[in-house]
Amino acid sequence: MPIKRVYFFAFLAMMAFAGNSLLCRLALKHAVIDAANFTTIRIMSGALVLGLLVRLRGGGGGTAGSWWSALALFVYAAGFSFAYNHLPTALGALLLFGAVQATMLGYGLWHGERLSRKQTVAIICSFAGFVALLSPPFAAPPLPSALLMTAAGVAWGVYSLRGKQAGDPLLATAGNFLRASAFAAALSLVLWAGLLPDKMGVVYAIGSGVFASGLGYAIWYKALSGLPATHAATMQLSVPVFAAVGGVIFLGEAITLPFFLASTAILGGIAVMIFDKVQAP
């Protein structure tokens, strides 16, 4: 595939990932739907479109994947939705992204990777930015919501790490979404309060599942086949930025200077970690 097309697909995937944050926030703030039902509709619609993509490709049914990966996917999706009840779009995306990268970097350290001096400084800067982000006069979000989004990021990091050994990524993701639908349906039943989602709530949830999740993941896997690992990792730094821009345009959310400074420390530190790791002998 031509390199320009590879990066075009990667750009579309990053937009889709940021779109998940925007669609969830729009649904919970401007429509009638609760976090549990949003999660269920998102996962089930994602499972349907991924299963369709697998069949169109001629890859059989969505029987790959595992229940453990499906559980990690469900924890991510549920924590993500409940956290966005009280988090602005940009802050939620940044907490999610930071937790994902921290999980994956921590996994590498646990398995024997060593930090250079530059990487050590970078990780300290990122951690300081993360702490500042949760404290006045920066963002200071509700702690339960911040912890939920952090847990969602850890779960997505675990899911991503497990996916490295999953074989066919599209087939495995279809199977994991199908299994996760059972967890999501159980959550909706347990938390059912008699509130029926309205039309726009369902539309936002389906949009998140079909376009931002199902098609977004399929496009990302297509791009990954032609992207160096470093480029793939650093491109994800754009997701919180796209989410922030979407929050400003569609939700009227403000980006403050303290938030910008803390975000720069977090994302800049992660970028240094990734680049220095590749350049190290």
Side-chain angles (χ1 to χ4, degrees), residues 204-229:
Y204 288 138
I206 291 176
S208 177
V210 171
F211 298 105
S213 297
L215 293 178
Y217 297 158
I219 292 170
W220 180 232
Y221 294 145
K222 184 74 172 176
L224 280 177
S225 63
L227 276 177

Side-chain angles (χ1 to χ4, degrees), residues 121-135 138 261-262 265-266:
V121 173
I123 203 168
I124 291 173
C125 288
S126 289
F127 182 73
F130 188 83
V131 172
L133 195 66
L134 302 182
S135 309
F138 288 80
L261 294 174
I266 295 171

Side-chain angles (χ1 to χ4, degrees), residues 16-48:
F17 295 162
N20 268 325
S21 294
L22 186 60
L23 287 167
C24 184
R25 187 66 177 147
L26 279 167
L28 296 174
K29 186 176 181 180
H30 294 297
V32 178
I33 191 170
D34 61 280
N37 281 324
F38 182 92
T39 301
T40 300
I41 296 172
R42 175 190 174 187
I43 291 179
M44 287 185 171
S45 57
L48 286 173

Side-chain angles (χ1 to χ4, degrees), residues 30-105:
H30 294 297
V32 178
I33 191 170
D34 61 280
N37 281 324
F38 182 92
T39 301
T40 300
I41 296 172
R42 175 190 174 187
I43 291 179
M44 287 185 171
S45 57
L48 286 173
V49 73
L50 285 164
L52 178 61
L53 288 173
V54 168
R55 289 186 177 277
L56 289 174
R57 193 190 63 175
T63 56
S66 72
W67 283 103
W68 284 112
S69 291
L71 179 61
L73 174 64
F74 163 72
V75 171
Y76 147 71
F80 176 94
S81 300
F82 280 91
Y84 265 129
N85 272 317
H86 302 291
L87 292 179
T89 309
L91 178 57
L94 185 62
L95 289 172
L96 177 74
F97 175 82
V100 170
Q101 293 298 317
T103 300
M104 300 184 78
L105 290 170

Side-chain angles (χ1 to χ4, degrees), residues 191-206:
L191 298 182
W192 175 251
L195 178 67
L196 291 174
D198 67 358
K199 178 181 177 181
M200 288 311 300
V202 173
V203 167
Y204 288 138
I206 291 176

